[in-house]
Amino acid sequence: MIIFLYGQNSYGIIQYVNELINRYQKKYPDSFNLHRFDLEEDNPDEIKNAIKGVSFFKQVKFIVTKNPFSQPALIEKVIRENGIAGQKETVLLLYEAKTAEELNKKGEKLFNLVKKEAQVKEFKPPTTQAAAKFATNELAKSKTSLKKELLAKLVRESGADLWRLKNELDKLAHFAKAEKRVISEEDISKLVNFKLDQNIFNIIDAAFSNQSKALVLFENYLADGRDEFYLLSMLAFQTKSMLIVRELTDEGL
């Protein structure tokens, strides 16, 4: 069996990989044999040895392979020569945190092969609503309280990066537990390093000077899983500020 996971949501991919490993460990407690490889770091011959290796005991091989498109020709050869797609006792799990376009550039033949032979699952960047739900669940697990507007601010800051969102939530949870109090807006400002969102300012600037450029930037902004409503509020704020400045200019102030 071949399982192929890809997409920009690397956090979701890793969580799903761990979920599958746990599922197989429970299903085959006495015969589960786990192998892990990263083809950007490990000797590529090791994956061939793991697949071809013979055991005297009945076992289920679960071969987790990160960054398979670093060695596309090798993985394509391994799949074709060993007939893994039709095997039940061998599971080849391939995963890479990249888009379909990026993977096609790295190895078009392999990408077409796994789409045909594997169970494929794409992990797209989380929407703002999905990230907020994720954050709410994490806060519930740690029994941490956070006001709705502060949570929204934190989610906006993290964007589609669930790794960062998880780290920030863990940091806040530890702080709340140590201080034995509810987290305030001042605490958020001190504990979270809010970065300047240059994308927002570039889009706003282009919206009033080069609208074709603004449309391209806007499409890129959405492709990164960013919050369109936050962008709308910033555009409204900028428009209001420009009207105020114009009014004062007309009055000679």
Side-chain angles (χ1 to χ4, degrees), residues 99-115:
T99 64
E101 291 76 15
E102 291 171 321
L103 296 176
N104 254 319
K105 288 180 181 178
K106 295 182 73 175
E108 184 178 359
K109 289 183 179 179
L110 176 59
F111 190 67
N112 290 332
L113 178 63
V114 292
K115 282 198 299 182

Side-chain angles (χ1 to χ4, degrees), residues 7-252:
Q8 293 173 294
N9 184 358
S10 61
Y11 185 91
I13 291 175
I14 295 301
Q15 295 304 305
Y16 193 70
V17 169
N18 292 333
E19 180 186 325
L20 289 176
I21 291 173
N22 291 333
R23 192 185 304 171
Y24 269 80
Q25 281 178 325
K26 290 178 180 178
K27 188 174 182 179
Y28 306 100
D30 300 321
S31 59
F32 183 75
N33 190 359
L34 177 64
H35 302 266
R36 285 181 177 271
F37 302 101
D38 183 342
L39 291 187
E40 285 188 348
E41 300 177 1
D42 299 329
N43 183 347
D45 289 332
E46 293 181 6
I47 189 172
K48 292 190 291 186
N49 296 333
I51 291 172
K52 292 182 178 179
V54 178
S55 174
F56 292 106
F57 305 99
K58 184 179 179 180
Q59 63 175 349
V60 174
K61 293 181 184 178
F62 199 94
I63 303 167
V64 179
T65 307
K66 180 181 180 182
N67 299 316
F69 282 78
S70 296
Q71 301 281 345
L74 169 72
I75 297 300
E76 183 185 353
K77 185 177 180 181
V78 164
I79 292 173
R80 293 189 186 279
E81 290 185 354
N82 295 278
I84 301 173
Q87 296 183 23
K88 292 184 179 180
E89 67 278 4
T90 300
V91 178
L92 178 61
L93 192 159
L94 309 170
Y95 74 94
E96 190 145 353
K98 287 183 171 59
T99 64
E101 291 76 15
E102 291 171 321
L103 296 176
N104 254 319
K105 288 180 181 178
K106 295 182 73 175
E108 184 178 359
K109 289 183 179 179
L110 176 59
F111 190 67
N112 290 332
L113 178 63
V114 292
K115 282 198 299 182
K116 180 182 176 182
E117 302 284 350
Q119 296 180 15
V120 181
K121 186 176 178 65
E122 181 182 5
F123 289 77
K124 295 181 179 180
T127 62
T128 302
Q129 292 79 6
K133 184 177 180 180
F134 169 83
T136 301
N137 291 336
E138 291 298 316
L139 288 171
K141 290 178 186 177
S142 63
K143 298 179 181 179
T144 305
S145 297
L146 191 63
K147 290 182 179 179
K148 188 176 181 180
E149 59 269 23
L150 296 182
L151 177 60
K153 182 178 181 180
L154 186 59
V155 169
R156 283 199 303 269
E157 171 62 21
S158 301
D161 188 352
L162 293 185
W163 291 108
R164 184 186 177 194
L165 181 56
K166 177 71 164 61
N167 289 335
E168 297 293 0
L169 291 169
D170 287 345
K171 185 199 304 180
L172 294 173
H174 287 304
F175 175 82
K177 185 176 180 180
E179 296 294 321
K180 297 180 180 179
R181 62 181 175 82
V182 175
I183 299 168
S184 66
E185 185 170 3
E186 184 180 357
D187 296 329
I188 290 277
S189 299
K190 288 180 179 179
L191 293 170
V192 178
N193 182 25
F194 288 93
K195 61 182 181 294
L196 181 67
D197 193 339
Q198 191 62 43
N199 287 338
I200 288 283
F201 292 106
N202 288 339
I203 295 172
I204 290 173
D205 182 58
F208 296 100
S209 59
N210 187 337
Q211 292 185 354
S212 59
K213 179 182 177 181
L215 286 173
V216 173
L217 293 174
F218 179 58
E219 288 179 358
N220 293 339
Y221 181 87
L222 293 182
D224 289 338
R226 308 304 295 271
D227 186 352
E228 63 267 33
F229 295 106
Y230 177 60
L231 174 59
L232 179 62
S233 67
M234 292 298 291
L235 283 167
F237 174 80
Q238 179 70 357
T239 303
K240 181 180 178 181
S241 299
M242 292 173 68
L243 289 171
I244 292 172
V245 170
R246 179 54 191 257
E247 183 178 356
L248 292 173
T249 302
D250 290 344
E251 294 177 3

